[in-house]
């Protein structure tokens, strides 16, 4: 027997329905139900519409009734499609060095940067990694983030990457949010690897990829294409084998130099993320593809550099998602809504574009069709913000916190 729950009335429900995946959006395109209600059936949305109609349906179904007595705006649970929240240690010292004038790449060359986190993550026990992921995922949940992609990439050996991905899988079982794992063994060439970068990639693809499949640890393969990491040519055989084995591909692209976005397009990647350095050529390339262009404002804020050209990407017709990149190095803040709101002010994005970027467009960046909108049959991942006007959510730049968050129909946050 299904358990039906009727919730509402909400002052506004932003369903995010009927909006295109690609290109610019006007706020007028937002589908807003005034005085709306939602019926949940177990973990899914059963009905959404004006409260008067939906409540009648709820009565017929003998639905449990959760009355919303104050002004609330309901929107789909946020989706953070790019994070590195599984890690050991802290890079507070790197942050101080950067702000004293050293660059991210200089710090990395001097032995800090990603390698420092690799050292600390290798020292960490599986249970401490699980605890770290759970703590960060729970904090995200209080901000309305109900689905979180989590990358490996601080192990950089077969055993250590497996340790991370197994920790992410266990954390997923223990927390309320959905964690979507991605293998980022191609984050950088491990400093202690005694053969060529090509040998490292070959070893990962031949020995680690099959285990990922067998243990169902990840369906997604990512690589950092950048000076000091992997070049477009060196990554080609790696992505070839990933594709052959049926993995989705995603790329850390065009962060400090271009090249990565072209690789993403060539390999039909599901997303190309960062894009701070993308110019006209890259923008056109992405806009004419099905690759979701993901802006990571948290990395721009963390590194003190410019934002990805989200406005130009949208105007050119690209699908733009926004993710936090939460990681101990370049993006330590980990507050998706703050960052998305700030990207909106700098890039002049409409509220519809920002909200699409952290809901259904972010779902597309993860290949998830079952969430990101409030529609019958989709997951009941919902946020209720204590306001009567949806514009307050971005206007308050992340400081307006959800009162209620449902994850798969279960009330996960109630403050
Ligand atoms: O997306 N750019 C490469 N990787 C991460 C940073 C990881 C780190 O600095 O630890 C990023 O910004
Ligand atoms: Fe990243």
């Amino acid at each position: 027997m299904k358990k039906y729950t009727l919730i509402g009335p909400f002052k506004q429900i932003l369903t995010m329905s009927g909006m295109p995946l690609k290109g610019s959006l006007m706020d007028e395109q937002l589908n807003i139900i005034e005085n709306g209600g939602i019926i949940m059936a177990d973990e899914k949305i059963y009905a959404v519409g004006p409260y008067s109609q939906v409540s009648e349906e709820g009565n017929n179904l003998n639905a449990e009734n959760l009355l919303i007595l104050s002004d609330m705006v309901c929107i789909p649970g946020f989706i953070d499609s790019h994070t590195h929240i599984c890690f050991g240690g802290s890079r507070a010292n790197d942050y101080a060095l950067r702000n004293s004038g050293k660059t991210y790449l200089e710090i990395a060359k001097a032995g800090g940067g990603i390698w420092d986190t690799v050292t600390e993550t290798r020292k960490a026990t599986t249970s401490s990694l699980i605890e770290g992921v759970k703590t960060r995922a729970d904090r995200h949940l209080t901000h309305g983030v109900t689905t979180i992609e989590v990358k490996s990439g601080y192990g950089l050996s077969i055993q250590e990457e497996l340790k991370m991905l197994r920790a992410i899988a266990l954390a997923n079982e223990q927390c309320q949010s959905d964690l979507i794992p991605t293998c980022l063994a191609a984050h950088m060439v491990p400093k202690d690897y005694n053969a060529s970068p090509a040998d490292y990639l070959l070893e990962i693809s031949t020995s680690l990829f099959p285990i990922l499949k067998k243990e169902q640890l990840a369906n997604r393969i990512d690589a950092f294409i950048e000076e000091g990491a992997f070049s477009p040519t060196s990554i080609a055989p790696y992505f070839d084998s990933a594709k052959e084995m049926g993995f989705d591909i995603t790329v850390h692209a065009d962060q400090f130099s271009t090249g990565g976005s072209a690789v993403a397009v060539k390999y039909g990647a599901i997303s190309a993320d960062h894009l701070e350095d993308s110019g006209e050529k890259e923008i056109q390339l992405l806009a004419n593809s099905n690759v979701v262009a993901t802006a990571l404002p948290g990395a721009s804020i963390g590194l003190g550099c410019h934002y990805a050209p989200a406005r130009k990407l949208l105007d050119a017709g690209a699908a733009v998602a926004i993710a936090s990149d939460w990681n101990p190095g370049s993006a330590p803040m980990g507050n998706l809504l703050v960052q998305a709101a700030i990207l909106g002010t700098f890039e002049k994005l409409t509220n519809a574009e920002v909200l699409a970027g952290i809901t259904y467009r972010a779902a597309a960046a993860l290949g998830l069709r079952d969430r990101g909108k409030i529609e019958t049959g989709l997951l009941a991942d919902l946020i209720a913000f204590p306001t009567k006007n949806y514009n307050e959510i971005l206007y308050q730049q992340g400081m307006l916190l959800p009162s209620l968050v449902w994850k798969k129909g279960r009330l996960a946050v109630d403050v």
Side-chain angles (χ1 to χ4, degrees), residues 82-84 87 91 94 98 104 113-118 151 153-154 184 187 222-226 229 252-253 255-256 273-274 276 296 298-300 303 324-331:
H82 180 140
T83 83
H84 309 246
F87 62 84
R91 301 244 294 282
D94 280 13
R98 272 204 310 280
Y104 184 72
I114 295 170
W115 188 248
D116 179 61
T117 302
V118 171
K151 299 176 194 297
Y154 295 126
L184 177 57
H187 202 177
D222 194 350
F224 185 22
I225 299 184
E226 192 56 62
H252 275 71
Q255 186 180 13
F256 303 110
D273 303 21
H274 272 297
E276 293 87 336
L296 305 173
S300 302
L303 296 175
S324 74
D325 197 19
W326 193 353
N327 73 70
S330 60

